[in-house]
Amino acid sequence: MERTDAAPIQTAILDAGPIIHLDELGCLPLLSDFHELLVPVAVWKEVERHRPSAISADQITFIKQQAPVLSSALYALCEAFNLDRGEREALAVCHIRAGAILFTDDAAVRLAAKAAGVRAYGTLGILIRAIRQRQRTPAEVIRMLEQIPSQTTLFIRKSLLQKIIEEVRASSE
Amino acid sequence: MASKTVQAELPEKIYDQIKVLVDEGWFTSDKDVITEALRRFLETHKPELMAKFVREDVEWGLYGKD
């Protein structure tokens, strides 16, 4: 599906979850309209370990990003939310890339991101955004959403997923 | 406090890390480490919180500006 009205395109910083889940759905190209896709080194290693095909895919270009040392405030936040190394690096990269969006499927990371003033969304947001960005038709996105329980390792309550599908369907009518 | 017994398989690497915490005296038993780890996980993974994040995803996906 062709895009006709370009929306602002920016930097995205990725945690492992969305890379893996999008690859499980064959949807990594949905990230292609972002100006740059930064993957912190620890996240890169995590994806390489769990789903190497995702990070080596030639359909999308990820940039391996060295994370800066955490500021003391950010360190305290990461400790409070018990974040792992990749998650900490992702937040640290956000800290030096003001205005970037963080993509993560972890609730603790999203809480920490909120506290740090970082906008964060997950795999579901990326999939649904594909309609708005005219990368996929509503029917195609609904099909991808329906495949989440059987094709991916993303956990979501079935009744909630069904509600989302209905909302997406209604918004496209 | 009432308790339930749960049997679960853990990756060896995680078990080794639990063992270090117990062996070094930070926790009195592996049960305490696992309970504390689960408590912290559950604090940040409340169903209503996860549902709220899903809602934010839908809102941004459908109506966001970027």
Side-chain angles (χ1 to χ4, degrees), chain A residues 30 65 68 74 76 94 97-98 100 102 108 118 131 134 136 145 173:
Chain A
L30 296 185
Q65 176 73 43
L74 212 48
C94 288
R97 301 302 291 259
L102 171 63
V118 173
I131 301 171
R134 303 185 182 183
R136 296 283 191 280
L145 293 170
E173 285 170 356

Side-chain angles (χ1 to χ4, degrees), chain A residues 133-149:
Chain A
Q133 293 295 92
R134 303 185 182 183
Q135 295 167 309
R136 296 283 191 280
T137 64
E140 286 169 334
V141 169
I142 287 169
R143 218 167 14 252
M144 293 187 291
L145 293 170
E146 286 170 341
Q147 287 173 339
I148 286 175

Side-chain angles (χ1 to χ4, degrees), chain A residues 8 12 16-17 26 53 77 99 101-102 131 142 165:
Chain A
S53 62
L77 199 60
I101 294 181
L102 171 63
I131 301 171
I142 287 169
I165 290 170

Side-chain angles (χ1 to χ4, degrees), chain A residues 6-161:
Chain A
I9 292 167
Q10 55 183 323
T11 298
I13 295 154
L14 290 112
D15 190 9
I19 300 175
I20 293 170
H21 300 140
L22 287 173
D23 189 51
E24 288 169 336
L25 289 168
C27 290
L28 276 175
L30 296 185
L31 294 169
S32 62
D33 65 337
F34 283 91
H35 175 60
E36 52 182 359
L37 299 166
L38 306 181
V39 179
V41 174
V43 172
W44 190 286
K45 286 180 183 165
E46 197 180 331
V47 178
E48 262 182 342
R49 197 164 55 243
H50 296 291
R51 196 168 172 92
S53 62
I55 208 82
S56 62
D58 53 6
Q59 52 194 331
I60 194 95
T61 305
F62 293 116
I63 301 167
K64 196 189 280 190
Q65 176 73 43
Q66 198 73 42
V69 176
L70 286 168
S71 65
S72 53
L74 212 48
Y75 177 81
L77 199 60
C78 292
E79 285 293 296
F81 287 103
N82 205 20
L83 303 188
D84 70 22
R85 188 158 177 196
E87 294 162 349
R88 286 168 191 244
E89 287 195 5
L91 275 181
V93 174
C94 288
H95 194 61
I96 55 165
R97 301 302 291 259
I101 294 181
L102 171 63
F103 289 131
T104 178
D105 285 322
D106 187 276
V109 181
R110 284 183 75 152
L111 276 177
K114 216 172 256 284
V118 173
R119 280 199 309 146
Y121 302 104
T123 299
L124 286 173
I126 298 166
L127 293 175
I128 296 169
R129 173 181 177 271
I131 301 171
R132 174 163 55 82
Q133 293 295 92
R134 303 185 182 183
Q135 295 167 309
R136 296 283 191 280
T137 64
E140 286 169 334
V141 169
I142 287 169
R143 218 167 14 252
M144 293 187 291
L145 293 170
E146 286 170 341
Q147 287 173 339
I148 286 175
S150 62
Q151 305 279 314
T152 78
T153 46
L154 178 65
F155 299 111
I156 178 164
R157 208 172 66 222
K158 278 189 179 167
S159 58
L160 183 57
L161 181 60

Side-chain angles (χ1 to χ4, degrees), chain A residues 7-8 10 79-81 101 103 106-108 110-111 114 119 121-122 124-126 128-129 132 160 164 167 171, chain B residues 13 37 40-41 43-47 49-66:
Chain A
Q10 55 183 323
E79 285 293 296
F81 287 103
I101 294 181
F103 289 131
D106 187 276
R110 284 183 75 152
L111 276 177
K114 216 172 256 284
R119 280 199 309 146
Y121 302 104
L124 286 173
I126 298 166
I128 296 169
R129 173 181 177 271
R132 174 163 55 82
L160 183 57
I164 293 164
E167 190 171 339
S171 74
Chain B
K13 202 171 164 190
R40 295 190 72 154
F41 177 85
E43 271 174 10
T44 51
H45 290 76
K46 292 182 174 145
L49 192 61
M50 292 193 287
K52 180 176 171 286
F53 289 143
V54 167
R55 290 278 355 131
E56 287 179 5
D57 272 18
V58 174
E59 285 296 313
W60 175 70
L62 288 175
Y63 312 112
K65 301 284 180 215
D66 46 19

